Amino acid sequence: MNDLSKRRLKTWVRMLGVTRAAENRLRDYLRREHDTTLPRFDVMAALWRRRDGVTMSELSRMLLVSNGNATAVVDRLEKDGLARREAEDGDRRRIRVRLTPEGLTAFEAMATGHEAEVDAIFASLGEADLDMMRDILARAGRSE
């Protein structure tokens, strides 16, 4: 391995560490303040963005999770009255899931706190830092 290769590896490890630390803090925040989980928040966020609802397959693709994982979270949301499944155009084989009015209200309260928590996590970064990171990550995402 050359020096640049080793530096890239160390950068990758650092990125993972920052990501894991931020994710752990968000998990803790959501558990403490909203008695919920990060996967549940992610599902609700996806449903909030698509108010007309999504199929379970679309939801799984959006979140990059298995249908089984998405189904388990939606089952709990439905049980709690935060989401509902409906047959699409009367076709019982094609089900759309969407947030209920109660789910929309609950998610919006969580999202406000979630944004504030992310803001606190990255409070040491200014506008120039964020612009530079966005550009660097965009370039890194294009490399193959």
Side-chain angles (χ1 to χ4, degrees):
M1 246 198 262
N2 63 38
D3 286 341
L4 188 53
S5 177
K6 286 181 182 178
R7 288 185 66 193
R8 287 178 176 134
L9 179 59
K10 286 180 181 180
T11 299
W12 167 244
V13 171
R14 173 67 59 94
M15 286 172 40
L16 283 175
V18 169
T19 300
R20 287 183 181 141
E23 192 173 87
N24 287 339
R25 185 164 162 184
L26 290 170
R27 284 180 195 281
D28 185 56
Y29 164 79
L30 289 168
R31 180 187 49 74
R32 250 188 8 265
E33 299 298 324
H34 297 283
D35 192 30
T36 197
T37 64
L38 191 54
R40 186 173 160 121
F41 177 86
D42 290 343
V43 167
M44 291 179 79
L47 296 176
W48 184 85
R49 285 190 297 275
R50 298 276 303 274
R51 306 290 174 89
D52 57 335
V54 297
T55 66
M56 292 302 295
S57 294
E58 290 171 326
L59 182 60
S60 297
R61 277 194 303 276
M62 290 167 69
L63 298 173
L64 305 173
V65 299
S66 72
N67 281 345
N69 286 346
T71 297
V73 174
V74 169
D75 286 347
R76 288 190 299 272
L77 289 171
E78 193 171 37
K79 180 178 172 247
D80 293 342
L82 300 175
R84 70 174 171 265
R85 291 179 173 100
E86 299 170 339
E88 187 172 61
D89 300 325
D91 182 353
R92 294 177 51 92
R93 295 168 296 170
R94 193 156 160 91
I95 302 295
R96 293 183 82 71
V97 61
R98 64 178 46 110
L99 290 175
T100 62
E102 296 81 9
L104 287 168
T105 300
F107 174 75
E108 288 167 358
M110 282 187 257
T112 299
H114 178 274
E115 182 178 344
E117 195 69 14
V118 170
D119 187 49
I121 291 168
F122 295 106
S124 65
L125 302 176
E127 283 188 48
D129 298 321
L130 295 171
D131 289 343
M132 186 184 319
M133 284 181 68
R134 182 198 60 230
D135 294 344
I136 290 168
L137 293 171
R139 281 197 324 266
R142 286 191 301 262
S143 66
E144 300 212 5

